[in-house]
Amino acid sequence: MRDHALDRHPFLALPPLALLATALLVLAPSRTAAQLVMEWHVGLGTSGEEHVHEGMQTSDGGYIGIGHVSETSGSRLDMLIIKTDADGNQEWQRRVGTSGQMDIGIAITETASGYVAGGGLHADGAQRRALVGLDLSGNVIWQRTYSGGGAAAVRGVEALANGDIVATGYTNSGEDGFVFLAEGSAFLMKTDASGNEIWNRTLAGMQGTKVREETGGGLAILSADWVFEGGQDVLNAKLIRTDSAGNTTWSATYGGSNHIDPFDFDLTSDGGFAIAGHTTGYNTQNWDCILFRIDSDGNETWHRIFGQPRGYNASWIHDECYGVRQTADGGFVMVGGSGDEYAYSASGHPAGPSDEWKSYVIVTDGAGNTVYEEVFGDGPGQGNNAAEYLALTDDGCYMVFNDTDSATPPAPNNFGFMKICGGCSNCGPCGDGNVDEGEQCDDGNQINCDGCDNDCTNSTTCGNGFVCGAEDCDDGNTVDGDCCSATCSFETLGSACDDGVACTNPDVCDGAGACTGDQTPATGCFEAGSGKIDIRNYAGGEKDSISWDWKKGPQVDFADFGDPVAGGTNYSVCIYDLDSGVDRVAASLEAPAGGECWGRSCWISKGEKRVAYKDKGLTSDGIQQLQLKPGRAGKAKLKLKAKGELIPMPSLPITDTTTLQVQLHNSAGMCWSASFDVSESGNEAERFSSKY
């Protein structure tokens, strides 16, 4: 699994609340520009690394968020709950957990006497599914853990009309701590108001994600499950309905042959459902947000894909949605994060560069058509704010719970509470014939180049993404150096650009608006004396892997590795097909300099003995480990391990080529190379392996 916005952000300072209404707005209009405004944004927590997973508005008009916080060592976690008043001022926070163990908070609900938190707490030598009862002041009044094999946790919790509690989640997972999608066994459990178990049911799914009580007392559960579609295993969203005793009455999956990561759902006014998540399917270029509309009989009515709110290269941008609610007018609001997790970096949008994650807010009508979409943060260059959950407020606004490193001290990453409200009255979508606030024009249609384009900007506007009139090109920005100039003309043939792939060099403009890179392997590299490569490409992607060893080459000094730890040297693993002089980049994996991976520095150095990149979360192209060890001739070593669905896999079997060349490049200009004879290798549809 990718991702995600949870482990990537450091942290800054809190302006006075009185200034927040005007000082913090950063939005990326796609239809009508000023329809939403950030009223205020605060970051709250401890001096540790924190991540929020869920939240709600409370009956007193305030807000409550739940997630986890790193312990002092940085590798273990505690459950963290934070309560604010209606203006975002902290009222209390509560930390729950066992020192030196994994304890996480994921879900929260309000009861008649306080709150019930759900997550995973350490008990009997493992992470167990857990519920914690708190009073209105945040004092723990009871705490329960429940048996089950493997690592386990509650992911969704709901207070029923009769005062009982229902919870869903997973058991039998092989991974403790917070995981986005657990490979385990789904369950549905009912307890009394004090957390005493009434019944427990196993569900057909790998995890229960959220649970809602339906009219009449039945229960609906969002789950995720593997299905075999289109000749491969893919992950789908799954809905399960039960009676009031937890007995399954029906279930259905959504997504078909398209991979879906589902994270939230809502009951709709007509007895149906709205499901939010993100997908790599439906011909998307990377992760994009997806919204499913399901009728009361469980049939998919429609789905809609959303992404690229800042217009950067879709091949590198992740648009990941985690929360959805139906609005009072029958439409929908969905939130998530938008940013990139690669060595790719682009700028030019007023909300900030692609490397900065922003809270992505999408509002649709009842048919899923975009009414407006915007990104919110604290300004370009100020940091990251990736939305993780959503609540509707009693005054018609939205509370966006986000991971923030820009809103306030004292931590590198805090719980973000961001209140967003409507910014103009009677605002309608672009194309309704009314020129609303933020629109340059509105001619009542969605046709481009007729004087008013389908984003309600004039057709003569360079940078709106539509090529009209005398424009040679329009790439959605007004910056030079990307082959379409700031004045929307083609940049000169041969001028420098960046195609976003570190394995191509040099990159030049073709004179017709495209940036092309030379796909020839680098020369002058440190050549291996021996090595091996193993590439495994399986249906579904979860079990994909690449491992590569470079050994017994010439002397490599520690200085040759540059300084990836401090953030000065990026690394790229480049796999080339070489066929009779026609070279091709078959795959490119990026290990960017600096950064945090799973709550710790991605890069570590053991003096001058070795430097290594390690990422348990596999967030950058699936790279789990990249070890660089200097040494005299014959003693230096390099080792790559990557796994999972994020790997940009080369096609197997390797065809129409005699040589597969693997190189490691760094941004300091150094490279290491090894070549493998395809004819003397194991070369099959699911695996390529070779050594020499």
Side-chain angles (χ1 to χ4, degrees):
M1 193 62 45
R2 127 198 94 281
D3 195 72
H4 291 287
L6 290 180
D7 290 311
R8 38 187 182 231
H9 319 311
F11 197 79
L12 293 179
L14 172 66
L17 279 176
L19 300 180
L20 288 170
T22 56
L24 299 181
L25 176 63
V26 175
L27 59 157
S30 70
R31 305 265 171 129
T32 51
Q35 293 179 341
L36 292 178
V37 231
M38 186 196 306
E39 286 205 348
W40 49 260
H41 182 208
V42 297
L44 302 171
T46 75
S47 58
E49 175 81 7
E50 290 131 25
H51 300 288
V52 66
H53 300 309
E54 191 177 297
M56 63 183 295
Q57 186 176 37
T58 52
S59 58
D60 62 359
Y63 305 95
I64 193 166
I66 186 169
H68 68 253
V69 57
S70 297
E71 294 185 358
T72 305
S73 64
S75 61
R76 304 283 91 183
L77 307 174
D78 287 338
M79 176 187 291
L80 183 65
I81 305 158
I82 298 176
K83 173 71 170 66
T84 79
D85 65 14
D87 297 316
N89 300 301
Q90 180 174 297
E91 293 183 333
W92 53 260
Q93 62 175 260
R94 184 65 58 221
R95 187 169 183 154
V96 181
T98 301
S99 178
Q101 303 297 338
M102 281 293 191
D103 304 286
I104 54 172
I106 306 177
I108 192 89
T109 190
E110 187 172 9
T111 68
S113 59
Y115 311 98
V116 173
L121 296 178
H122 184 80
D124 302 322
Q127 179 182 297
R128 304 296 186 190
R129 49 193 173 155
L131 295 175
V132 179
L134 303 102
D135 65 20
L136 293 172
S137 298
N139 301 302
V140 174
I141 54 178
W142 55 263
Q143 183 173 317
R144 308 273 188 266
T145 56
Y146 307 90
S147 61
V154 169
R155 294 195 66 110
V157 62
E158 176 104 326
L160 302 181
N162 67 356
D164 290 339
I165 304 296
V166 287
T168 191
Y170 62 90
T171 60
N172 298 308
S173 172
E175 188 174 2
D176 60 8
F178 178 78
V179 290
F180 284 91
L181 290 168
E183 293 279 1
S185 301
F187 73 85
L188 178 66
M189 178 175 65
K190 183 177 180 179
T191 77
D192 64 18
S194 297
N196 299 302
E197 184 178 315
I198 298 174
W199 50 252
N200 181 52
R201 307 281 185 257
T202 299
L203 302 176
M206 64 183 229
Q207 72 169 31
T209 304
K210 302 294 176 191
V211 58
R212 310 275 185 240
E213 183 180 22
E214 297 191 79
T215 303
L219 301 170
I221 301 95
L222 175 66
S223 181
D225 211 358
W226 291 99
V227 299
F228 188 77
E229 291 281 351
Q232 61 180 348
D233 290 314
V234 293
L235 192 65
N236 273 195
K238 186 172 189 176
L239 276 177
I240 302 170
R241 257 175 159 167
T242 78
D243 60 22
S244 60
N247 301 303
T248 299
T249 56
W250 66 254
S251 66
T253 57
Y254 307 95
S257 60
N258 303 283
H259 186 101
I260 308 294
D261 280 11
F263 286 99
D264 192 27
F265 81 123
D266 198 17
L267 306 180
T268 58
S269 56
D270 61 357
F273 310 91
I275 301 173
H278 34 275
T279 180
T280 54
Y282 300 103
N283 298 313
T284 59
Q285 295 188 54
N286 206 318
W287 291 96
D288 278 343
C289 293
I290 187 166
L291 175 64
F292 287 99
R293 183 68 162 94
I294 312 300
D295 67 20
S296 58
D297 294 321
N299 303 304
E300 180 184 328
T301 304
W302 47 257
H303 67 264
R304 302 284 184 260
I305 307 294
F306 306 89
Q308 314 315 317
R310 287 180 284 175
Y312 294 129
N313 189 329
S315 298
W316 304 100
I317 301 300
H318 287 185
D319 297 300
E320 302 165 351
C321 281
Y322 295 99
V324 65
R325 289 293 177 269
Q326 186 176 39
T327 51
D329 61 1
F332 302 94
V333 57
M334 189 164 57
V335 301
S338 182
D340 83 79
E341 296 176 304
Y342 306 94
Y344 167 84
S345 181
S347 59
H349 193 279
S354 63
D355 307 292
E356 289 181 0
W357 284 76
K358 304 299 178 183
S359 289
Y360 184 17
V361 180
I362 304 156
V363 180
T364 79
D365 62 18
N369 301 305
T370 304
V371 176
Y372 43 84
E373 59 180 358
E374 299 170 357
V375 292
F376 292 87
D378 288 338
Q382 298 303 305
N384 302 275
N385 295 277
E388 305 294 342
Y389 207 64
L390 166 74
L392 302 182
T393 67
D394 56 15
D395 57 356
C397 298
Y398 311 133
M399 174 51 58
V400 176
F401 299 90
N402 61 67
D403 286 328
T404 181
D405 61 8
S406 67
T408 181
N413 202 75
N414 281 151
F415 286 18
F417 295 77
M418 179 187 288
K419 189 173 183 182
I420 295 174
C421 296
C424 64
S425 60
N426 301 316
C427 286
C430 177
D432 66 357
N434 298 312
V435 180
D436 298 315
E437 184 179 351
E439 294 180 338
Q440 294 179 357
C441 56
D442 194 322
D443 57 1
N445 64 54
Q446 295 280 298
I447 300 172
N448 293 323
C449 301
D450 64 347
C452 184
D453 292 340
N454 74 10
D455 64 346
C456 285
T457 58
N458 297 320
S459 295
T460 56
T461 303
C462 177
N464 67 358
F466 309 113
V467 180
C468 298
E471 294 178 337
D472 291 331
C473 55
D474 194 319
D475 55 2
N477 65 57
T478 53
V479 297
D480 293 321
D482 58 1
C483 300
C484 182
S485 74
T487 57
C488 288
S489 60
F490 293 140
E491 295 189 58
T492 308
L493 174 68
S495 57
C497 59
D498 185 353
D499 67 357
V501 180
C503 296
T504 60
N505 190 43
D507 300 334
V508 296
C509 296
D510 66 355
C515 182
T516 60
D518 186 350
Q519 302 194 44
T520 304
T523 58
C525 300
F526 293 100
E527 296 290 339
S530 71
K532 60 182 179 180
I533 182 77
D534 191 304
I535 303 173
R536 305 187 187 201
N537 191 357
Y538 299 111
E542 291 284 340
K543 297 181 180 180
D544 289 353
S545 65
I546 297 178
S547 63
W548 174 54
D549 288 0
W550 181 102
K551 298 179 181 178
K552 297 184 179 179
Q555 178 172 322
V556 177
D557 296 327
F558 187 79
D560 295 324
F561 296 140
D563 188 8
V565 178
T569 311
N570 299 310
Y571 274 81
S572 305
V573 179
C574 307
I575 301 177
Y576 300 90
D577 283 352
L578 309 183
D579 180 24
S580 303
V582 179
D583 303 334
R584 182 177 72 90
V585 177
S588 174
L589 288 73
E590 312 297 329
E596 285 195 356
C597 296
W598 210 255
R600 47 159 283 175
S601 296
C602 299
W603 287 92
I604 58 173
S605 176
K606 298 294 185 181
E608 294 192 355
K609 294 182 178 180
R610 69 179 177 93
V611 64
Y613 176 94
K614 293 185 178 181
D615 181 11
K616 184 179 178 181
L618 311 176
T619 53
S620 185
D621 293 335
I623 296 179
Q624 181 182 36
Q625 180 175 296
L626 178 61
Q627 293 200 47
L628 316 174
K629 183 179 179 181
R632 63 181 185 275
K635 297 297 182 180
K637 296 180 181 180
L638 310 178
K639 186 175 187 66
L640 166 76
K641 286 185 178 180
K643 65 179 184 179
E645 63 185 3
L646 287 186
I647 302 175
M649 296 294 293
S651 298
L652 297 182
I654 305 296
T655 58
D656 301 324
T657 187
T658 58
T659 304
L660 193 75
Q661 189 163 352
V662 185
Q663 293 188 340
L664 178 68
H665 299 173
N666 72 22
S667 57
M670 309 301 291
C671 58
W672 293 260
S673 184
S675 299
F676 300 93
D677 189 331
V678 173
S679 64
E680 297 181 0
S681 305
N683 189 14
E684 302 172 349
E686 292 186 335
R687 185 179 182 187
F688 175 86
S689 61
S690 182
K691 61 182 179 180
Y692 69 96

